[in-house]
Amino acid sequence: MKKLPLFKTLLLSCSLCVCAATAQASLLITETFDYAPPYDVPVDGLNGGTGWKSAWLATENNGTARVVDFRMSAPTGYNIPIASPALRLRPANNATRDAVRSLSTGINLNPTAQTDCYFSYLWMRVDNPDAGGEASFFSLRSASGVQLINFGVQGDEKLYIGVGADANGGTAVAATGSYTLDVKTDINTTGKYLIVGKMELNAAGEADTLYLSAIKSDQTLTEITDWDVMLTGDFSGSVGRLVVTVSAYGQDAYFDNILIGTTFADVTGYIPEPAVSATLLGLLPLALALRRRRR
């Protein structure tokens, strides 16, 4: 077998470093709704993605929950592929429309050692100006359906974290951020967001911290250090279900690329450019020196 010259080997190593930087380290849950046509079909019974115990459950009795031919968009720097289908929730009669799915492995809110858990999803809401109480949540619940933590947007257009009584020793708590989402009615051009959350979880008796931010699709993604909403408390319970919801008659909410992982890069595909550039620049002088010596 012919050996690859050392100079080319180093350049190949540089390329592999870049590829390695793009790989997701530990994705726990994925759902990209990349189902084959036909579209405008109920999500109930569909079972794509990874990390799930069961298929989607969404009986269409208070509106519809459907996979539709609708393409979401994301901020620059988001490196997760986006397919054209998305989940659309459309409530009826001022009801709440949701879709439920069980996780194959639960998320313990009281781990024995400090654990970080990140999630993200692409989201858009189309408001009915005549409706009130518009809200849309990414809800983490127990395996039996008890509400533990709600992340999402309240009817006042502000990001929101709410913790149920069962996750907080009998006391429900909530935090609303000052960051205000714009109300958009043009579903084709504006109002699409990347929602990112983080849970810093500790053992029982130690404080946990929940974070939430929204990045509009026409912005540039960077690793978040200044979150829009933060909530601290000693939370407990085990997450066994994910529920995505929207409320108010005539209001649509779109969800796509639901991801849960252990790092920010897991759920966004974000690659810090300085880190990649430093790797390449660090190896390049060595490669050039070796090439000159071989001449």
Side-chain angles (χ1 to χ4, degrees):
M1 179 184 295
K2 186 177 180 180
K3 292 185 177 180
L4 193 65
L6 184 56
F7 173 71
K8 292 184 178 179
T9 300
L10 284 170
L11 290 181
L12 178 60
S13 298
C14 291
S15 299
L16 291 176
C17 286
V18 175
C19 293
T22 65
Q24 274 79 51
S26 183
L27 274 172
L28 309 175
I29 292 290
T30 69
E31 172 58 285
T32 61
F33 299 99
D34 190 13
Y35 295 100
Y39 298 125
D40 199 10
V41 296
V43 74
D44 185 67
L46 297 181
N47 61 353
T50 60
W52 303 99
K53 183 179 181 180
S54 61
W56 285 101
L57 176 63
T59 305
E60 295 193 339
N61 55 356
N62 286 317
T64 61
R66 299 196 162 213
V67 174
V68 298
D69 187 11
F70 182 81
R71 186 175 182 82
M72 299 291 288
S73 57
T76 301
Y78 176 85
N79 293 308
I80 307 296
I82 303 173
S84 58
L87 172 64
R88 184 193 68 203
L89 301 181
R90 176 173 288 175
N93 302 321
N94 287 322
T96 296
R97 173 68 271 174
D98 58 28
V100 183
R101 202 164 182 190
S102 296
L103 285 59
S104 61
T105 302
I107 300 172
N108 185 4
L109 299 183
N110 280 140
T112 55
Q114 197 274 324
T115 301
D116 289 344
C117 182
Y118 288 80
F119 67 84
S120 75
Y121 57 98
L122 301 178
W123 176 85
M124 178 179 180
R125 189 179 69 191
V126 183
D127 285 317
N128 173 4
D130 297 324
E134 302 94 339
S136 179
F137 295 115
F138 183 92
S139 182
L140 302 179
R141 304 187 185 183
S142 70
S144 62
V146 175
Q147 177 183 304
L148 298 175
I149 304 174
N150 273 348
F151 295 93
V153 181
Q154 282 280 55
D156 60 3
E157 309 301 325
K158 292 183 179 180
L159 289 178
Y160 170 88
I161 303 174
V163 178
D166 288 88
N168 197 48
T171 303
V173 295
T176 302
S178 58
Y179 182 90
T180 301
L181 293 175
D182 297 329
V183 178
K184 299 296 181 182
T185 56
D186 185 351
I187 64 172
N188 296 314
T189 57
T190 56
K192 299 174 182 178
Y193 292 85
L194 168 65
I195 309 293
V196 184
K198 177 184 178 183
M199 299 188 291
E200 288 182 357
L201 304 173
N202 292 286
E206 299 179 24
D208 309 306
T209 308
L210 310 176
Y211 304 87
L212 190 64
S213 280
I215 305 95
K216 202 172 179 181
S217 62
D218 60 0
Q219 297 177 338
T220 298
L221 177 67
T222 59
E223 187 151 10
I224 303 170
T225 56
D226 183 17
W227 294 81
D228 296 326
V229 187
M230 181 177 72
L231 182 63
T232 299
D234 182 15
F235 309 125
S236 62
S238 180
V239 177
R241 288 185 187 180
L242 169 66
V243 183
V244 290
T245 70
V246 66
S247 64
Y249 173 73
Q251 172 184 269
D252 293 345
Y254 292 84
F255 292 83
D256 201 1
N257 280 19
I258 295 173
L259 305 172
I260 300 177
T262 58
T263 69
F264 183 80
D266 283 348
V267 300
T268 63
Y270 175 70
I271 306 169
E273 290 185 7
V276 176
S277 300
T279 302
L280 296 175
L281 292 174
L283 290 175
L284 188 56
L286 176 60
L288 292 174
L290 288 172
R291 187 178 187 187
R292 285 194 294 267
R293 288 178 59 186
R294 293 176 62 87
R295 286 182 174 177

